[in-house]
Amino acid sequence: MSDKTQHNDELERPYFQQLQMQFAEHIRNPAVAYAPEGEAPIEPRRLEAYESLFYNNIDGFFSNLFPVCKLILGDSRWHELMREYMTKHQARTPLFHELGEEFLAFLNDEYEALESDPEFLLELAHYEWVELAISVNPEEGFEPLDKDSQAAEPSLDSIYQLSPVAWPLAYQWPVHLLSIDYQPEQPEGGITTLLAYRNSNDTVNFIELTPLLYQWVLMIEDGADSGLSAGDAFMEMTEEMELDEAEVQSFAIQTLQQLINLNVIRPVK
């Protein structure tokens, strides 16, 4: 045996590992033969059971996580997408609830869109994923405040922090409105800005923000580190607008109160 042949033999995987890899490839894509050079060690009916089990688990999880995406794509295209995901994407997480992030990574990097696929698919999938992501986030939100607590009173002089389970979101598409009956071909009316948050009952809610309020929430979030008060952040944001100062302050106070009542913000201690 030549040195080259011996080297190649040493690089070959053990037979059982070759079978494992062939089995995994076949499960991802049944068009790939299992043990093509010999008789498959798993009989066809059992192999079909494994195929169905793996596929149905993936399809069932993603169907529940991305119901609007599936509805808009339709069953046939959805199943094509599931198979494309299984064939192309190598998931890195062993945790089932993190597969949503893997699907987003697939849509962003590996997915090959058809002409009939909506351009908003990635943003819609991200919007649908957010609910699960916040619900399983290990961070603790703010507890409801006592009505007599000083922290329950809004103050423009205070520096606030944003709840770790409150996420400001911005999309090009109106993701919260998309449905089988509403699928715009182009984004309409500027960016869509939302706030997703988990309340004290562990329920995830979404509220729509104006772009101005969205920017303020981001500045409030940054203010916890920079020391910028809520009032200074708001005035800095609106200084180029010709607005009545008293009306601006009244609006800012009302908005702070709403965010406090939702347990979304708290004064920095």
Side-chain angles (χ1 to χ4, degrees):
M1 179 183 294
S2 68
D3 291 340
K4 182 177 180 180
T5 302
Q6 182 177 357
H7 178 69
N8 289 337
D9 288 341
E10 291 174 352
L11 291 178
E12 287 186 359
R13 295 176 181 273
Y15 179 63
F16 80 93
Q17 289 187 356
Q18 295 179 41
L19 288 178
Q20 284 179 328
M21 294 182 67
Q22 291 168 358
F23 175 70
E25 287 297 315
H26 179 78
I27 290 297
R28 293 189 184 96
N29 182 6
V32 175
Y34 178 42
E37 296 181 358
E39 183 178 350
I42 300 178
E43 60 182 299
R45 69 181 183 87
R46 295 184 184 276
L47 198 56
E48 289 179 9
Y50 283 120
E51 291 170 13
S52 297
L53 179 63
F54 277 85
Y55 181 84
N56 290 339
N57 278 341
I58 294 293
D59 176 54
F61 179 77
F62 285 155
S63 293
N64 288 328
L65 184 55
F66 306 108
V68 182
C69 289
K70 180 178 180 179
L71 187 64
I72 287 175
L73 289 174
D75 285 343
S76 178
R77 178 61 182 135
W78 174 258
H79 289 303
E80 289 178 358
L81 195 63
M82 292 298 96
R83 185 59 69 185
E84 184 181 357
Y85 168 82
M86 292 180 66
T87 301
K88 291 182 177 179
H89 189 71
Q90 298 288 330
R92 302 299 180 186
T93 177
L95 303 177
F96 215 65
H97 69 265
E98 292 181 355
L99 285 180
E101 292 178 77
E102 299 283 356
F103 188 66
L104 294 179
F106 157 74
L107 288 179
N108 190 59
D109 301 327
E110 300 158 315
Y111 149 72
E112 294 183 19
L114 299 183
E115 186 175 349
S116 59
D117 291 345
E119 292 185 21
F120 54 71
L121 184 61
L122 176 58
E123 285 199 345
L124 176 58
H126 183 276
Y127 168 70
E128 294 199 278
W129 163 79
V130 164
E131 182 172 358
L132 173 65
I134 295 182
S135 66
V136 300
N137 191 313
E139 296 278 0
E140 295 292 332
F142 299 138
E143 292 295 326
L145 290 171
D146 188 281
K147 292 183 179 180
D148 297 327
S149 170
Q150 185 176 357
E153 295 295 325
S155 171
L156 293 177
D157 295 327
S158 295
I159 299 170
Y160 287 90
Q161 57 185 327
L162 188 66
S163 168
V165 289
W167 296 3
L169 306 168
Y171 300 100
Q172 289 185 317
W173 298 86
V175 289
H176 61 311
L177 301 176
L178 297 172
S179 68
I180 192 68
D181 297 319
Y182 178 62
Q183 301 179 48
E185 295 183 359
Q186 297 294 332
E188 301 172 353
I191 64 171
T192 295
T193 47
L194 308 169
L195 181 67
Y197 66 96
R198 192 177 75 209
N199 63 23
S200 56
N201 295 321
D202 289 331
T203 300
V204 177
N205 298 294
F206 293 81
I207 56 176
E208 188 171 2
L209 303 175
T210 65
L212 185 69
L213 289 184
Y214 170 79
Q215 186 62 37
W216 192 31
V217 169
L218 291 182
M219 294 180 73
I220 287 175
E221 184 177 25
D222 292 340
D225 296 322
S226 65
L228 188 67
S229 71
D232 288 343
F234 199 83
M235 296 307 295
E236 180 180 317
M237 186 178 59
T238 59
E239 63 182 353
E240 295 183 1
M241 304 177 186
E242 296 182 0
L243 302 173
D244 181 86
E245 185 174 347
E247 291 181 357
V248 167
Q249 290 189 351
S250 176
F251 174 77
I253 286 290
Q254 291 177 17
T255 303
L256 281 179
Q257 186 68 74
Q258 292 172 352
L259 295 176
I260 291 171
N261 291 344
L262 292 173
N263 300 316
V264 167
I265 61 172
R266 284 288 183 274
V268 174
K269 296 180 181 180

